[in-house]
Amino acid sequence: MPADLIQLHPINPEKRKIEDIVKRLKNGQIIIYPTDTVYAIGCDLYHAKAVERICKLKSAKPEKMNLTFICHDMSDISKYVLQLDTPTFKLMKSLLPGPYAFILKATSEVPRILGVRKKTVGIRIPNHAIPRQIVEMLGNPLVTTSIKSDDLILEYTTDPAQIWEDYKHQVDLILDGGFGGNIPSTVLDASENPIKLIRKGLGEWSD
């Protein structure tokens, strides 16, 4: 049975639809959804079988996957990352929500949830209403990873209709929030000092 395709307003997504999406996530479904950068695959952080499905879909072992947590705001991250020093906290407050992923030292909660040893965790707070409203209603982060196209020219698929064609038999639900971007987030490793640029993406960054 092919995945459902749900259209959502990118700025004011309908509450009824968000409620339905959250219910599906709690039942272990995998979704593809828009962010402020590229479309991504995600599931409920606390649904182990769904996390395993995402890893299999990406043909990677959980311990090798660079999974990121999508959070609603800074108050969401304290359960999953060790206490931040003041400069890192101020930097994150100044850049988030936005097109950045921060690699941070993980609390013991992260390996307990994922079932694999993870000393660090990626944190994203995208500047996009759809994922932020989903995680706010869900009550915990999404585990997420970006989708990529096999096309060497267009690395990230941007058209929701094409995404549905490509992934309709691999995921349960695809959220159409309009055309996505094809530039990923800027990744910053803040697990050690000084902060290191891991990937230059959409977000501005200068050492």
Side-chain angles (χ1 to χ4, degrees), residues 53-66:
R53 282 183 61 198
I54 288 180
C55 293
K56 287 180 180 178
L57 196 154
K58 299 284 283 190
S59 300
K61 294 180 179 179
E63 61 268 20
K64 300 290 185 182
M65 280 282 286
N66 293 319

Side-chain angles (χ1 to χ4, degrees), residues 32 41 57 147-148 163-171:
I32 292 179
I41 301 171
L57 196 154
I147 61 172
K148 284 191 176 183
I163 292 171
W164 185 82
E165 285 293 337
D166 293 343
Y167 288 90
K168 62 185 176 183
H169 296 301
Q170 300 179 64
V171 301

Side-chain angles (χ1 to χ4, degrees), residues 161-198:
Q162 185 59 52
I163 292 171
W164 185 82
E165 285 293 337
D166 293 343
Y167 288 90
K168 62 185 176 183
H169 296 301
Q170 300 179 64
V171 301
D172 305 298
L173 182 62
I174 295 169
L175 310 184
D176 179 355
F179 275 81
N182 61 0
I183 302 174
S185 59
T186 290
V187 180
L188 301 169
D189 186 348
S191 64
E192 302 289 347
N193 283 318
I195 294 174
K196 295 179 182 178
L197 176 67
I198 303 298

Side-chain angles (χ1 to χ4, degrees), residues 55-168:
C55 293
K56 287 180 180 178
L57 196 154
K58 299 284 283 190
S59 300
K61 294 180 179 179
E63 61 268 20
K64 300 290 185 182
M65 280 282 286
N66 293 319
L67 295 169
T68 299
F69 292 5
I70 295 289
C71 300
H72 176 257
D73 56 29
M74 289 288 290
S75 66
D76 271 358
I77 73 172
S78 60
K79 188 175 183 179
Y80 311 103
V81 305
L82 296 179
Q83 187 170 356
L84 304 174
D85 60 37
T86 300
T88 302
F89 179 81
K90 287 183 176 180
L91 177 65
M92 293 180 70
K93 285 284 286 185
S94 69
L95 296 178
L96 301 175
Y100 299 87
F102 283 86
I103 299 172
L104 301 163
K105 288 181 179 178
T107 64
S108 58
E109 185 78 358
V110 172
R112 188 186 70 78
I113 296 167
L114 298 180
V116 293
R117 292 181 180 179
K118 290 280 186 181
K119 293 183 178 180
T120 60
V121 62
I123 297 292
R124 278 269 279 133
I125 304 175
N127 188 20
H128 198 293
I130 290 174
R132 291 185 69 204
Q133 288 192 22
I134 288 172
V135 296
E136 183 179 30
M137 190 175 292
L138 182 63
N140 56 257
L142 293 175
V143 168
T144 192
T145 184
S146 62
I147 61 172
K148 284 191 176 183
S149 170
D150 292 330
D151 191 314
L152 294 177
I153 299 173
L154 184 62
E155 188 178 14
Y156 295 91
T157 307
T158 61
D159 182 355
Q162 185 59 52
I163 292 171
W164 185 82
E165 285 293 337
D166 293 343
Y167 288 90
K168 62 185 176 183

Side-chain angles (χ1 to χ4, degrees), residues 7-50:
Q7 290 187 324
L8 289 162
H9 194 285
I11 299 173
N12 295 301
E14 301 87 329
K15 184 180 179 181
R16 175 181 57 81
K17 292 182 179 180
I18 296 293
E19 289 173 342
D20 180 53
I21 293 161
V22 168
K23 186 183 297 183
R24 290 171 180 241
L25 286 165
K26 288 183 176 180
N27 286 332
Q29 292 196 9
I30 293 175
I31 67 171
I32 292 179
Y33 63 96
T35 73
D36 52 354
T37 55
V38 300
Y39 269 80
I41 301 171
C43 70
D44 184 346
L45 170 64
Y46 286 95
H47 208 291
K49 288 185 177 179

